[in-house]
Amino acid sequence: ETGVTQTPRHLVMGMTNKKSLKCEQHLGHNAMYWYKQSAKKPLELMFVYSLEERVENNSVPSRFSPECPNSSHLFLHLHTLQPEDSALYLCASSQGYYNEQFFGPGTRLTVL
Amino acid sequence: EDKVVQSPLSLVVHEGDTVTLNCSYEVTNFRSLLWYKQEKKAPTFLFMLTSSGIEKKSGRLSSILDKKELFSILNITATQTGDSAVYLCAGGGIQGAQKLVFGQGTRLTINP
């Protein structure tokens, strides 16, 4: 079990649904990240939060909305997704920007 | 555009063999090169390299960075079936927050 947990582990949703992914880190880190991992594509950075402020938004569509209420929790709110958004969504955390990132187990998302 | 390229994409060897995985990178304001192992879901951290020519070792795994030629290698000696995984390489550049750019990964299969 890693120091970064994610819920749910699996999610199936229709294109008109609204759902949220949750990430929690127990490592005392101050930076958190959302990544998308699609089949046969490299991991893609979506968002970076440092000290609860968003410092990076990698041209992600507005149907993905992140929220970081404190340094231990990170959410990804989803609405009106498309089937091509089906992927593994990974959360990570690090102490400072320049140190190694530790990943959670991911949420496998399927959009019907 | 920043990119990280890994080779080979897939490798099948017998238990006990030694393998070398390659990673070349073009990352703006490069700071660090990271290696991760991904078995099922969460990538697990292996090494972070920031200095050229200094080998990092952990048991049967070792890695080295060449900042002049812009590449890194990951060596695994006396491979075991538990080493079967996808190995990810990521280049970290300093642009505000450190952004990790991931390669496609090398899928390593160790046959008994």
Side-chain angles (χ1 to χ4, degrees), chain A residues 52-68:
Chain A
E52 298 113 61
E53 280 194 42
R54 190 191 312 181
V55 296
E56 192 71 41
N57 176 350
N58 236 20
S59 302
V60 178
S62 59
R63 57 186 183 268
F64 294 92
S65 174
E67 179 190 0
C68 188

Side-chain angles (χ1 to χ4, degrees), chain A residues 37 58 97-98 101 104-105, chain B residues 31 36 38 41-42 98-99:
Chain A
Q37 189 173 36
N58 236 20
Y97 290 146
Y98 307 123
Q101 296 174 20
Chain B
R31 181 186 181 272
Y36 288 85
Q38 187 173 25
K41 292 279 180 76
Q98 173 170 246
K99 295 175 62 173

Side-chain angles (χ1 to χ4, degrees), chain B residues 1-111:
Chain B
E1 187 177 328
D2 293 349
K3 65 178 178 180
V4 173
V5 178
Q6 293 185 243
S7 64
L9 293 181
S10 180
L11 183 60
V12 181
V13 300
H14 289 292
E15 206 168 17
D17 288 352
T18 293
V19 298
T20 298
L21 310 184
N22 304 293
C23 174
S24 64
Y25 63 89
E26 294 176 29
V27 174
T28 307
N29 297 324
F30 174 82
R31 181 186 181 272
S32 57
L33 191 291
L34 292 89
W35 285 96
Y36 288 85
K37 177 183 181 183
Q38 187 173 25
E39 291 178 83
K40 295 263 171 72
K41 292 279 180 76
T44 54
F45 172 75
L46 295 175
F47 298 110
M48 183 167 77
L49 304 135
T50 55
S51 299
S52 198
I54 297 176
E55 185 183 51
K56 289 214 171 179
K57 287 197 73 165
S58 177
R60 296 177 292 103
L61 278 66
S62 64
S63 184
I64 197 161
L65 174 67
D66 186 328
K67 291 170 81 170
K68 183 180 176 186
E69 301 297 331
L70 307 183
F71 79 89
S72 174
I73 60 171
L74 176 69
N75 277 321
I76 309 175
T77 60
T79 52
Q80 302 170 358
T81 54
D83 295 325
S84 295
V86 175
Y87 289 83
L88 301 172
C89 170
I94 303 174
Q95 299 170 33
Q98 173 170 246
K99 295 175 62 173
L100 290 185
V101 178
F102 281 82
Q104 336 80 298
T106 293
R107 180 171 296 280
L108 176 64
T109 303
I110 311 296
N111 288 327

